[in-house]
Amino acid sequence: MDTSRSRELFSRARALMPGGVNSPVRAFGSVGGEPFFAQRAEGPFLFDVDGNRYIDYVGSWGPMVAGHNHPAVRDAVLAAARDGLSFGVPNPLEVTMAETLACIVPGCEMVRMVNSGTEATLSAIRLARGATGRARIVKFEGCYHGHGDSFLVKAGSGALTFGVPTSPGVPKALADLTLTLPYNDFDAATALFDECGADIAGLIVEPVVGNANCLPPRDGYLQHLRALCTRHGALLIFDEVMTGFRVALGGAQERYGVTADLATFGKVIGGGMPVGAYGGRRELMEQVSPSGPVYQAGTLSGNPVAMAAGLAMLGLVQAPGFHAALEAKTNALCDGLEAAARDAGVPFTTNRVGGMFGLFFSSERIDTYAQALACDTKAFNRFFHAMLERGVYLAPSAFEAAFMSSAHGEAELDATVAAARDAFRIAKG
Ligand SMILES: *Cc1c(COP(=O)(O)O)cnc(C)c1O
């Protein structure tokens, strides 16, 4: 496989951009080697600058749930762009977007559009703090909520201790306000709320964890978190940046029948444009400026081209049977991969929820972050490169979920399993 143009671009990029990229995971640091540069994308495929084609299970990290460069999205963007790229006054597409979200997302009575998932989550916790008058927030080990200061925090030593920054530049004083819990542990959450529930403004969770590989909630876990938050007057915030419009039309709130106080969105909601949103209960959202005192603003928020892309994408996922078909493809692929691994004698298992899934080099069923950490990442890295050489692009890290799109057909799924038959043998080492 010729990758000379990508290699040349990466060396130029590294000279002028930190790590050669504009977002860290793209640098392939976790799997080793060098990233490829995309020229274009179509349906289930990415094409690199050297002319290689890849079946893509990253989908721009989630937005491309209907496949790349979908004509409906592309045409909506081109049409909107013809009328102007940004107005700085309200535009009608913002109203349509708010009405669409209120219609398809449970509990989304009001919404504010922003420009990224990061912006959505940091705005949501500001609102939680502003609305409750409390300072502490709770997050889960292994969950990612963007790069806001309050989220770049891991557990200190021992239960119920202050959080520790995971990045220089995050003040300890702020990290002290973030408490962390192990995901899917019922008792740890109960104990934390018993200890300091009255100080907790909100608990934020990826309802299906997609940033520590893919970890579905244990039966009743999200209901348990809902009950704890209600009992202690804390807000439950579902970070649905990844799960939104992907695990079901109405996201995890619909799939698991649990309504959060606030939910955050990104990725699919922008159809590939930089968009995020947060929304929820009316009396909470009315606390946001200018109707309320909690300040939050954005020069390009509700941008007409971005709204056009998002609305077109949301139109596609509202097609009857969209999510059932997506889930059937995910299951077919994961079953095929598990069978290929068995034949190769490789300990391997998958988790699947709707249009997202996770690959684990382990013989156990995985549903905690600690278990995900204990998987054989070296085997994953060998598998990743063997798949890439065979034209299949998986996320370049053992701790990222994979994404199915409606554009993946039987031929692509079969080709992926065929590539995996070789790749599992290579992964064995
Ligand atoms: C990607 C992601 C974010 C951050 O979104 P950006 O648009 O990258 O800022 C936040 N939360 C979750 C669950 C995500 O997957």
Side-chain angles (χ1 to χ4, degrees), residues 380-395:
F380 172 83
N381 292 351
R382 288 190 293 269
F383 183 75
F384 167 85
H385 282 291
M387 291 297 273
L388 192 66
E389 280 161 25
R390 286 159 185 77
V392 179
Y393 179 53
L394 301 165

Side-chain angles (χ1 to χ4, degrees), residues 136-379:
R136 289 180 141 179
I137 62 161
V138 178
K139 77 176 282 285
F140 291 84
E141 289 166 6
C143 281
Y144 179 69
H145 304 292
H147 66 87
D149 285 346
S150 291
F151 302 121
L152 299 182
V153 173
K154 64 175 183 201
S157 50
L160 309 186
T161 54
F162 296 125
V164 178
T166 55
S167 167
V170 175
K172 174 146 190 345
L174 192 59
D176 282 349
L177 298 175
T178 302
L179 302 162
T180 60
L181 280 173
Y183 179 79
N184 266 340
D185 183 331
F186 287 68
D187 294 344
T190 306
L192 182 78
F193 273 85
D194 282 346
E195 173 94 6
C196 53
D199 301 333
I200 296 170
L203 173 148
I204 187 166
V205 63
E206 288 183 75
V208 178
V209 182
N211 285 285
N213 206 320
C214 179
L215 306 173
R218 286 180 174 152
D219 281 347
Y221 190 63
L222 298 175
Q223 288 80 355
H224 180 64
L225 298 179
R226 174 67 278 177
L228 283 174
C229 286
T230 302
R231 186 174 326 138
H232 293 273
L235 301 185
L236 177 65
I237 307 168
F238 273 8
D239 180 354
E240 299 236 39
V241 169
M242 190 180 286
T243 52
F245 322 103
R246 177 173 283 281
V247 299
L249 176 59
Q253 295 189 93
E254 176 185 319
R255 188 174 179 110
Y256 298 102
V258 175
T259 305
D261 297 297
L262 294 172
T264 56
F265 300 94
K267 300 187 174 133
V268 172
I269 202 174
M273 296 292 281
V275 181
Y278 63 108
R281 268 168 40 213
R282 177 175 301 278
E283 71 270 25
L284 289 173
M285 291 306 292
E286 278 179 340
Q287 297 287 308
V288 176
S289 56
S291 66
V294 179
Y295 192 71
Q296 190 271 309
T299 301
L300 294 175
S301 296
N303 174 272
V305 183
M307 294 302 97
L311 282 170
M313 185 61 83
L314 294 181
L316 294 171
V317 301
Q318 287 178 76
F322 181 93
H323 290 90
L326 193 67
E327 180 152 351
K329 288 179 190 190
T330 305
N331 282 330
L333 179 65
C334 288
D335 288 345
L337 293 174
E338 286 183 356
R342 242 184 340 263
D343 293 347
V346 174
F348 175 82
T349 184
T350 62
N351 282 339
R352 327 88 187 255
V353 183
M356 60 193 275
F357 58 102
L359 313 179
F360 300 91
F361 283 82
S362 168
S363 48
E364 301 180 39
R365 232 199 84 73
I366 309 291
D367 55 8
T368 69
Y369 182 51
Q371 288 176 307
L373 284 178
C375 291
D376 187 348
T377 51
K378 289 208 177 76

